[in-house]
Amino acid sequence: MSTDLVTDQQIREFAADVLGTVVRPADADYDDTRAVWNGMIDKRPALIVRCTGVADVVRSVTFARENDHLVAIRGGGHNVAGTAVCDGGIVIDLSEMTSVRVDPEERTAWVSGGARWVDVDHETQLFGLAAPGGVVSDTGVAGLTLGGGIGHLRRKYGLSCDSLQSVDLVTAEGEFITASEDEHPDLFWALRGGGGNFGVVTGFEFNLHHVGPDVATCLVFYPADRLTDYLSAYREYVRSAPDEVSTLTFAGVLPDEDLFPDAVDVPKLGIMGCYAGPVEEGLEALAPLREFGDPIADFSDVMPYAAFQQLLDEDYPDGMRYYWKSLYLDGLSDRALERIEHWVDTAPSPLSTVDVWHLGGAVADVGLAESAFAGRQAPFLLGVEGNWVDADADDENVAWVRDCLDDMREFSDGSVYLNFPGFFEEGDEMIESAFGAAYERLVAVKTEYDPTNLFRVNQNITPTT
């Protein structure tokens, strides 16, 4: 919808009623404010409301609903699909709501809806505590958590959504409520993995876990000319890896003159992970990953957990072009490893990677009765990251990601991780497949809390009409 449907006077009255800034297309800071992390996304909303608190969110939701505006919700703005912004509608921008409050005795943290994981780690690590985040600290807490949240602590402490104790949100009717196991339990279940379908989340309460401050880490790179051999060794390693070990592999050229001065243009296999437990135990548990062959580089070390969380940040700068998709894998057969090698070799961009995330452990300990997140029983997640700079190369990079996914489906039941969704171009088919047996219950919750589908710029679950 455009602002033609409301008068300038109505917009001025609305802007006067919120404490945060209301940005319009004619404003000097409009282009900077509408920009999100993924440079492929170029959408032009009619209004951007930079909320300062719950009151601004309530007023924004009410204004959007009463004027039939399309709504996008921006937390960290890091979603690869660009769902933090929309064309012609209103963006409810929480990115200035970043406060984090830790209760070290109760081991809980209250986190505002616009916070990023770097904000959370900064506060929780003061007390040697952590909530399971992702693997890039600039990622927004809200998007990652509502979509499940696969990160460096997953096998020991589960997904980000598994540590939720309660969630504050504003419903489509503009009502502020708290969802937990005791209040609105069906909604709480849906928020643990069901995405941003059900309201504007203004705050999360997380249970925290003892992590760090120092942790044993692995970050080792091998030449990819023996990629299948190294991935076979990795496959054997994870068969008996303890739950404290969470690792992933990523393969691509990864050109970096500072890190690889003698192998800038050589395809590489990186293995990354940490040990969620005593440092000395972790060094011993991670050591075999560093002994698969002669590495190009080995940056494994004992380091602060917060620093480990930030290691990949510079690899994903704002404004670069990103297109990521995923599949849960049934296993890592020899044939699957050969196909991974093929797609690494054919990537059009040296910045792109084919990734394998080891799952299991605590991820698989939570059932569909407790959380809407499906895919927990898969042993591995395949992530295909198209990362490039030149807009003229969009078509070939997107095609490479899609072709890789199509080829790898023979090793999967076809379900996907919705935080790596491409642009949701498969529509309802992707959503139903991703949620599986949880889908019908999610539809019922969506119908109760957002029957008109006001919140639909997301991994959308269509309510029953």
Side-chain angles (χ1 to χ4, degrees):
M1 295 287 179
S2 75
T3 51
D4 293 340
L5 297 179
V6 293
T7 66
D8 284 345
Q9 179 63 29
Q10 286 175 301
I11 294 173
R12 286 195 295 271
E13 290 174 356
F14 166 67
D17 203 30
V18 297
L19 192 58
T21 305
V22 176
V23 180
R24 301 178 67 179
D27 294 335
D29 58 348
Y30 174 75
D31 283 335
D32 288 341
T33 306
R34 71 182 177 88
V36 291
W37 167 73
N38 188 351
M40 289 191 76
I41 308 303
D42 184 21
K43 295 181 180 178
R44 304 185 66 85
L47 295 176
I48 304 169
V49 188
R50 307 202 71 184
C51 300
T52 62
V54 173
D56 282 359
V57 174
V58 170
R59 290 179 173 93
S60 298
V61 169
T62 301
F63 182 80
R65 185 188 67 250
E66 290 179 347
N67 292 284
D68 196 24
H69 270 297
L70 183 66
V71 174
I73 305 164
R74 177 171 181 156
H78 209 271
N79 186 287
V80 70
T83 55
V85 67
C86 60
D87 280 321
I90 180 170
V91 173
I92 299 176
D93 186 345
L94 310 184
S95 61
E96 295 187 353
M97 297 169 55
T98 62
S99 63
V100 177
R101 185 179 70 250
V102 177
D103 185 332
E105 293 186 1
E106 294 295 325
R107 284 192 288 145
T108 59
W110 188 90
V111 180
S112 290
R116 298 169 299 153
W117 284 104
V118 65
D119 303 315
V120 177
D121 295 338
H122 180 72
E123 296 296 334
T124 59
Q125 279 294 282
L126 177 66
F127 307 102
L129 299 170
V135 298
V136 175
S137 74
D138 276 342
T139 305
V141 171
L144 186 80
T145 302
L146 295 173
I150 297 176
H152 284 311
L153 302 177
R154 62 190 178 276
R155 285 177 40 80
K156 179 63 175 178
Y157 296 120
L159 307 175
S160 302
C161 69
D162 295 336
S163 288
L164 283 176
Q165 184 164 307
S166 67
V167 178
D168 292 344
L169 83 163
V170 176
T171 70
E173 288 299 312
E175 181 184 6
F176 175 73
I177 63 176
T178 298
S180 67
E181 291 183 352
D182 299 320
E183 302 176 86
H184 306 282
D186 278 352
L187 177 60
F188 183 60
W189 169 86
L191 291 165
R192 296 178 68 190
N197 275 280
F198 311 100
V200 183
V201 174
T202 59
F204 300 87
E205 184 181 15
F206 287 98
N207 293 313
L208 303 178
H209 311 278
H210 289 295
V211 177
D214 289 336
V215 292
T217 72
C218 174
L219 181 58
V220 60
F221 293 87
Y222 294 103
D225 57 356
R226 294 178 51 209
L227 182 63
T228 57
D229 290 340
Y230 292 132
L231 287 177
S232 295
Y234 177 75
R235 178 180 61 195
E236 292 306 309
Y237 169 83
V238 299
R239 290 186 195 276
S240 58
D243 290 350
E244 287 81 3
V245 172
S246 296
T247 55
L248 69 149
T249 71
F250 48 100
V253 175
L254 310 171
D256 190 312
E257 293 183 0
D258 294 329
L259 296 181
F260 313 111
D262 299 321
V264 175
D265 297 320
V266 174
K268 307 165 188 72
L269 172 71
I271 303 176
M272 185 179 195
C274 73
Y275 187 89
V279 167
E280 292 303 318
E281 288 182 12
L283 291 172
E284 182 177 355
L286 294 170
L289 295 169
R290 306 168 62 191
E291 299 167 354
F292 290 169
D294 295 325
I296 294 174
D298 187 351
F299 304 105
S300 306
D301 201 355
V302 175
M303 67 177 66
Y305 171 73
F308 183 66
Q309 283 282 86
Q310 297 174 32
L311 281 183
L312 298 181
D313 288 6
E314 292 185 3
D315 295 332
Y316 300 101
D318 287 357
M320 203 162 80
R321 307 182 82 77
Y322 302 100
Y323 182 79
W324 299 355
K325 293 183 81 68
S326 62
L327 279 175
Y328 290 108
L329 298 180
D330 301 328
L332 291 178
S333 66
D334 290 345
R335 168 70 175 163
L337 300 187
E338 291 171 359
R339 298 313 297 162
I340 289 173
E341 181 178 48
H342 167 78
W343 291 106
V344 172
D345 290 343
T346 58
S349 168
L351 303 174
S352 294
T353 61
V354 181
D355 310 338
V356 175
W357 302 64
H358 182 216
L359 303 178
V363 174
D365 290 342
V366 179
L368 278 183
E370 302 161 84
S371 161
F373 188 88
R376 291 181 181 271
Q377 301 309 310
F380 299 100
L381 174 70
L382 178 78
V384 187
E385 294 188 8
N387 309 314
W388 67 100
V389 176
D390 188 354
D392 290 338
D394 284 359
D395 289 347
E396 63 178 332
N397 282 281
V398 169
W400 172 76
V401 174
R402 290 175 177 172
D403 289 346
C404 177
L405 260 287
D406 287 344
D407 182 56
M408 295 297 292
R409 290 187 195 281
E410 67 175 284
F411 312 109
S412 169
D413 67 0
S415 59
V416 305
Y417 175 45
L418 287 176
N419 280 341
F420 301 161
F423 294 147
F424 294 111
E425 56 267 39
E426 295 89 347
D428 290 346
E429 180 182 351
M430 170 191 277
I431 302 302
E432 292 183 29
S433 172
F435 288 120
Y439 181 72
E440 291 303 324
R441 185 178 175 188
L442 283 166
V443 170
V445 177
K446 175 73 170 180
T447 302
E448 179 177 356
Y449 288 93
D450 185 17
T452 64
N453 209 11
L454 179 67
F455 305 117
R456 58 185 180 274
V457 183
N458 48 43
Q459 51 269 60
N460 192 234
I461 296 163
T462 306
T464 303
T465 55

